[in-house]
Amino acid sequence: PHTVNLQSIRMKEFQVYHYILLLLAMFVTLFVMWYLGLYNIVTILYGFGGAHLMARYIFRPLTEKFASKCLGKGASEKLESTAFLKYKWIDIGSLTYGYAFAIAWVVLGFSYVQPLSNTYYWMLQDVMGVLYCIFFLTALEMNSVMIPVMTMLLVFAYTVFYAILARDKLLGSSILVDITKSASVGIIADYCDNYHWDPACIGSQSPLPLLLVLPMSRDFRGNFAMIGLGEILIPGLLISFAARYDGARMLVKKCSQTSRIASSGANDVEFGSMPSQVDSQTKETQLLYYMGRMKKVLFKGYFGPLTISYTIALLAAYLVDWLTGVTQATLLYTVPICLGTAGFVGALRRELSELWLGPRVLTKANRMVAVADKIPELRSAAATEANNNLAETTSVA
């Protein structure tokens, strides 16, 4: 038998000092970008980072699927073999595809006065933006709700502060606004409309690619609907924590139920079985099953209510924008609605203090996953030890 020391398993979670260091790094980076006007470098780095993300999330899975389905097992094994240093053939191929798309995107960005008028440019920018959001929200594993809440409150305070000062004309400009506008700051738009071949106008009307954009239909002016990545990532920290917390609770509950059933010897009970396995295969039964699953996901945990509240906040922001004709700061709607929803649900379940200090169920689930990841390694070690013992017994005989 092999035992696993749970104390030796350290999970990589986002701690408070990580949060402070990240805020300092972001502040210094924004200030340097604003002071030196390094907008083109940001576009290039954004494209190269997007190339790696496309290789990781799009081209590598597609290559694996295509090789296994169409080229056979031999091709899959060849792709998984090492080609250069630690890189496999599939990694090289995926990165090649990713950089090909990204380099074409960067070249287009430096070739148009308004690159967003090109369909390839804005579509690929949206794809990379979504991949950036997926990467950061999966990489930042929060162990309590404190960091997402503090981040949302700080950004909300800044947004309100700047909105009031801008309305009262007490502040000339914002670093974030200037950075988002990119090279368009200081460039006369009418001049570039008439003299678009001037090198100073190339890319002058394009904001930095820190946005998701969608062209407005039937708009002869060529306007775009936009939402910043920060307006997705900042509420996304709270929503991703809620999804992780709900998943951890479900995992611990299922493992506890399975352990009790195994100890009692009740082998005739099945958990999570499809209705088609225990009842007659009727459309009504399957429909009731999926409706029950949907209701459980949406209303039993925190993820469902927060997702609904975030959607309502976005709709409210766009509705006010449409009615007033004034661009709205989406965070003025998403932050209070999402925090209010989380606080209301947590107060009803009397879990606010646990969420703030860090739920123990997350630690339990992390250790379960860590042990599950070690099972193949332990089985391989046990098989190797058994083979060695068999060889020693045979040699003695």
Side-chain angles (χ1 to χ4, degrees):
H2 291 265
T3 59
V4 179
N5 184 9
L6 295 179
Q7 300 298 329
S8 64
I9 300 174
R10 295 185 178 182
M11 305 306 297
K12 295 181 179 180
E13 293 184 335
F14 202 68
Q15 305 294 338
V16 176
Y17 70 92
H18 293 148
Y19 170 70
I20 297 175
L21 291 176
L22 180 61
L23 282 182
L24 290 175
M26 290 175 59
F27 175 78
V28 172
T29 302
L30 289 174
F31 179 79
V32 171
M33 287 167 51
W34 172 76
Y35 186 76
L36 299 179
L38 304 177
Y39 305 118
N40 292 336
I41 295 179
V42 175
T43 302
I44 295 174
L45 294 178
Y46 186 90
F48 287 169
H52 282 267
L53 294 179
M54 286 189 290
R56 176 178 180 177
Y57 291 109
I58 297 178
F59 295 117
R60 183 185 175 92
L62 288 178
T63 304
E64 291 176 347
K65 180 75 69 173
F66 177 78
S68 61
K69 294 292 184 179
C70 302
L71 302 180
K73 185 177 180 180
S76 300
E77 294 177 352
K78 177 64 177 177
L79 289 174
E80 293 294 336
S81 62
T82 303
F84 178 72
L85 296 178
K86 63 178 181 179
Y87 294 99
K88 301 178 181 180
W89 286 108
I90 190 171
D91 296 328
I92 295 176
S94 302
L95 286 174
T96 301
Y97 290 129
Y99 271 99
F101 279 85
I103 291 173
W105 178 82
V106 172
V107 171
L108 285 175
F110 295 147
S111 302
Y112 286 82
V113 174
Q114 174 54 282
L116 292 176
S117 60
N118 184 280
T119 303
Y120 175 86
Y121 186 88
W122 69 260
M123 288 187 66
L124 193 62
Q125 176 175 313
D126 287 353
V127 170
M128 291 190 293
V130 171
L131 295 180
Y132 271 108
C133 293
I134 294 173
F135 173 75
F136 282 111
L137 292 180
T138 54
L140 302 179
E141 294 186 353
M142 308 293 179
N143 58 357
S144 73
V145 79
M146 177 177 61
I147 295 177
V149 170
M150 293 296 294
T151 305
M152 295 174 73
L153 290 177
L154 287 174
V155 175
F156 180 76
Y158 169 82
T159 305
V160 173
F161 179 73
Y162 176 72
I164 294 175
L165 292 180
R167 181 191 63 189
D168 296 337
K169 298 182 180 180
L170 297 177
L171 187 64
S173 63
S174 167
I175 293 178
L176 293 178
V177 173
D178 288 347
I179 289 174
T180 304
K181 288 182 178 179
S182 181
S184 61
V185 179
I187 301 294
I188 301 176
D190 293 338
Y191 173 81
C192 291
D193 288 338
N194 297 324
Y195 303 98
H196 57 272
W197 58 83
D198 191 329
C201 292
I202 300 299
S204 63
Q205 298 182 19
S206 174
L208 283 185
L210 305 178
L211 305 161
L212 298 184
V213 299
L214 185 66
M216 293 184 177
S217 61
R218 300 179 181 179
D219 190 336
F220 67 93
R221 297 169 297 179
N223 291 330
F224 292 82
M226 301 182 180
I227 182 171
L229 297 186
E231 295 170 329
I232 300 174
L233 287 173
I234 293 174
L237 294 175
L238 180 63
I239 298 174
S240 63
F241 170 81
R244 185 165 170 251
Y245 177 63
D246 292 346
R249 291 182 61 179
M250 185 178 300
L251 175 62
V252 172
K253 181 179 179 181
K254 289 292 184 182
C255 290
S256 300
Q257 290 176 345
T258 305
S259 176
R260 287 197 299 267
I261 292 171
S263 60
S264 63
N267 297 323
D268 55 340
V269 181
E270 296 182 4
F271 289 90
S273 58
M274 287 285 293
S276 58
Q277 298 172 349
V278 296
D279 297 329
S280 60
Q281 289 186 339
T282 60
K283 292 184 178 180
E284 292 81 4
T285 304
Q286 294 184 5
L287 180 61
L288 290 175
Y289 170 78
Y290 288 116
M291 289 179 63
R293 292 285 295 177
M294 184 66 66
K295 182 179 179 180
K296 183 177 180 181
V297 170
L298 290 179
F299 301 107
K300 193 168 184 179
Y302 288 86
F303 175 73
L306 282 175
T307 302
I308 295 174
S309 64
Y310 180 71
T311 304
I312 293 174
L314 287 181
L315 291 176
Y318 281 107
L319 180 62
V320 174
D321 187 357
W322 178 67
L323 291 176
T324 62
V326 179
T327 302
Q328 301 296 310
T330 309
L331 290 174
L332 292 178
Y333 299 85
T334 57
V335 170
I337 292 178
C338 289
L339 289 181
T341 302
F344 178 74
V345 176
L348 283 180
R349 299 173 182 175
R350 299 179 180 179
E351 296 174 345
L352 287 179
S353 60
E354 181 185 4
L355 293 174
W356 184 262
L357 298 176
R360 295 181 180 180
V361 69
L362 285 176
T363 304
K364 293 181 180 179
N366 287 337
R367 290 179 175 178
M368 289 179 181
V369 173
V371 171
D373 291 338
K374 287 182 174 292
I375 289 177
E377 179 182 349
L378 294 176
R379 287 178 176 175
S380 177
T384 303
E385 183 179 353
N387 292 333
N388 294 335
N389 293 336
L390 180 60
E392 291 177 1
T393 304
T394 304
S395 61
V396 171

